[in-house]
C-alpha cells in the first residue's frame, strides 16, 4: 500500500522500469519484437521495413498527433520506409477537405507502382493487389479499415499494423499465417522465402542458368554474316568482272585499228 493514496488506487499506477520508461511501453515493444522475429524467420521480413499506409491510418495518426517517421523506427527497432500508392492518393483527393491532413501525410510517403496506372481503383483494393502472390516485397499493411484487415488476415505472411489509443500496434500473426507456417514445417507446403533461397542456391551451383546468360547466348547465335550484305558483295564482284572484260575489249579494238588501216592502204595501192 502506498502512503497518501486510498486503498485500491495502487492498481491504476503505471509501472516504470529502472530507466524511467512506462512498463506498458516496454511490454508493447516486447510483443513487437516477438512478432517481428516470427515474420523474419518464416517469411524473410527484413529492414528497412516497408509499411503500406492507407487513408484511414493517416487520418488516425493525424488525430492522435503521432509522428510516424519518428515513432515507427523506435517501435519496430529498425529502419522503416513509409509507402503508399497512386490509388490511395487519388482516393484521398476525391474525399475532399475533411481528409486534407491525411492526404498531406500520404503525399510525404514513397509512392509504389501499382497495376492500376490507367484506371484507378479504391485504396483497399489497390493495397490488397500489392501483397498478392505471397507478399514477395515483404510489405507491412497499416490500416484502420476493418474489412481490409480481415482480408489481410486471410493471406499468410503479411504483418498488420493499426492505431489504438493513440499508439501504433503491430498485430500478432493471424491464425491463417500460423497454420501456413505449421504446414511448411511439416513439409506440406513451401513458402515463398524458401523458394527464393532454393533458387539462389541452384544458381550458385550452376544448376539453373541465369536469364542474363541465356540472353547472351541467344545474342551470340543470332550474330553472324548478314545474308543481304553477302548478296551486295556478290553484285559488286560481278560488276568488277564485267568492267574488266569491257576494258580488255576496248584495248583489243584499239590494237586492231592500225593493222586494218594498213591493210586497206595496201589494197588501194595495188588497185
Amino acid at each position: 500500500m502506498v502512503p497518501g493514496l486510498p486503498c485500491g488506487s495502487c492498481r491504476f499506477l503505471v509501472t516504470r522500469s529502472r530507466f524511467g520508461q512506462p512498463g506498458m511501453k516496454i511490454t508493447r515493444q516486447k510483443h513487437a519484437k516477438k512478432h517481428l522475429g516470427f515474420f523474419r524467420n518464416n517469411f524473410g521480413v527484413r529492414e528497412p521495413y516497408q509499411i503500406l499506409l492507407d487513408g484511414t491510418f493517416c487520418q488516425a495518426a493525424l488525430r492522435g498527433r503521432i509522428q510516424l517517421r519518428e515513432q515507427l523506427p523506435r517501435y519496430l527497432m529498425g529502419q522503416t520506409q513509409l509507402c503508399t500508392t497512386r490509388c490511395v492518393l487519388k482516393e484521398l483527393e476525391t474525399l475532399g477537405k475533411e481528409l486534407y491532413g491525411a492526404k498531406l501525410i500520404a503525399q510525404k510517403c514513397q509512392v509504389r507502382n501499382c497495376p492500376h496506372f490507367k484506371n484507378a481503383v479504391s485504396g483497399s483494393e489497390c493495397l490488397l493487389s500489392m501483397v498478392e502472390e505471397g507478399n514477395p516485397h515483404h510489405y507491412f499493411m497499416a490500416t484502420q479499415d476493418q474489412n481490409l484487415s480481415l482480408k489481410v488476415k486471410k493471406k499468410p505472411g503479411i504483418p498488420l499494423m493499426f492505431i489504438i489509443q493513440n499508439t501504433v500496434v503491430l498485430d500478432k500473426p493471424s491464425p491463417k499465417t500460423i497454420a501456413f507456417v505449421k504446414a511448411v514445417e511439416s513439409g506440406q507446403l513451401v513458402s515463398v522465402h524458401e523458394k527464393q533461397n532454393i533458387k539462389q542456391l541452384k544458381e550458385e551451383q550452376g544448376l539453373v542458368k541465369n536469364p542474363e546468360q541465356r540472353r547472351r547466348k541467344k545474342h551470340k547465335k543470332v550474330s553472324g554474316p548478314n545474308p543481304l550484305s553477302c548478296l551486295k558483295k556478290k553484285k559488286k564482284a560481278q560488276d568488277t568482272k564485267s568492267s574488266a572484260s569491257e576494258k580488255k575489249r576496248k584495248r583489243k579494238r584499239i590494237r586492231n585499228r592500225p593493222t586494218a588501216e594498213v591493210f586497206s592502204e595496201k589494197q588501194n595501192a595495188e588497185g
Side-chain angles (χ1 to χ4, degrees), residues 6-214:
C7 182
S9 299
C10 298
R11 292 188 296 111
F12 299 98
L13 290 174
V14 179
T15 57
R16 293 182 177 273
S17 65
R18 65 182 66 181
F19 299 103
Q21 295 178 349
M24 291 290 288
K25 186 176 180 180
I26 291 174
T27 55
R28 191 166 62 93
Q29 283 189 339
K30 282 184 179 179
H31 288 305
K33 187 176 181 180
K34 180 181 176 182
H35 301 334
L36 277 173
F38 176 86
F39 285 107
R40 188 184 302 112
N41 296 329
N42 295 294
F43 296 97
V45 175
R46 58 189 179 275
E47 296 183 41
Y49 303 123
Q50 301 185 79
I51 305 172
L52 283 173
L53 277 64
D54 72 342
T56 61
F57 191 85
C58 294
Q59 182 69 9
L62 181 66
R63 289 179 179 176
R65 297 180 180 179
I66 299 172
Q67 300 294 330
L68 295 175
R69 293 187 181 276
E70 297 177 1
Q71 294 189 19
L72 283 176
R74 293 177 187 173
Y75 175 56
L76 298 176
M77 294 164 285
Q79 297 180 359
T80 59
Q81 288 181 354
L82 303 182
C83 312
T84 190
T85 62
R86 294 186 184 91
C87 295
V88 173
L89 293 173
K90 197 163 187 178
E91 185 180 47
L92 289 171
E93 288 178 359
T94 55
L95 290 174
K97 297 180 180 179
E98 295 180 357
L99 295 174
Y100 179 74
K103 185 185 76 171
L104 292 179
I105 294 173
Q107 285 177 344
K108 294 179 181 179
C109 300
Q110 298 180 11
V111 179
R112 293 287 186 263
N113 293 326
C114 65
H116 318 107
F117 184 76
K118 293 183 179 179
N119 300 320
V121 297
S122 64
S124 59
E125 185 180 350
C126 180
L127 293 178
L128 280 174
S129 68
M130 298 294 288
V131 294
E132 287 181 350
E133 300 178 357
N135 192 17
H137 298 289
H138 310 297
Y139 285 122
F140 287 58
M141 188 70 70
T143 181
Q144 301 294 108
D145 189 351
Q146 293 183 357
N147 293 329
L148 179 58
S149 299
L150 290 174
K151 292 178 181 178
V152 168
K153 288 180 179 180
K154 292 179 181 179
K155 296 184 177 185
I158 305 172
L160 181 64
M161 301 187 74
F162 54 87
I163 295 173
I164 185 170
Q165 295 180 356
N166 298 332
T167 55
V168 181
V169 177
L170 175 64
D171 197 9
K172 62 182 180 181
S174 64
K176 187 79 174 179
T177 299
I178 294 172
F180 180 83
V181 171
K182 288 181 179 179
V184 171
E185 290 176 351
S186 63
Q188 297 176 5
L189 295 172
V190 180
S191 64
V192 177
H193 179 56
E194 289 182 349
K195 287 180 182 178
Q196 292 176 353
N197 291 336
I198 292 169
K199 187 178 179 182
Q200 288 179 357
L201 290 172
K202 286 183 177 180
E203 288 178 355
E204 289 176 358
Q205 294 177 1
L207 299 175
V208 177
K209 296 179 181 179
N210 293 327
E212 294 181 357
Q213 293 179 353
R214 291 178 183 175

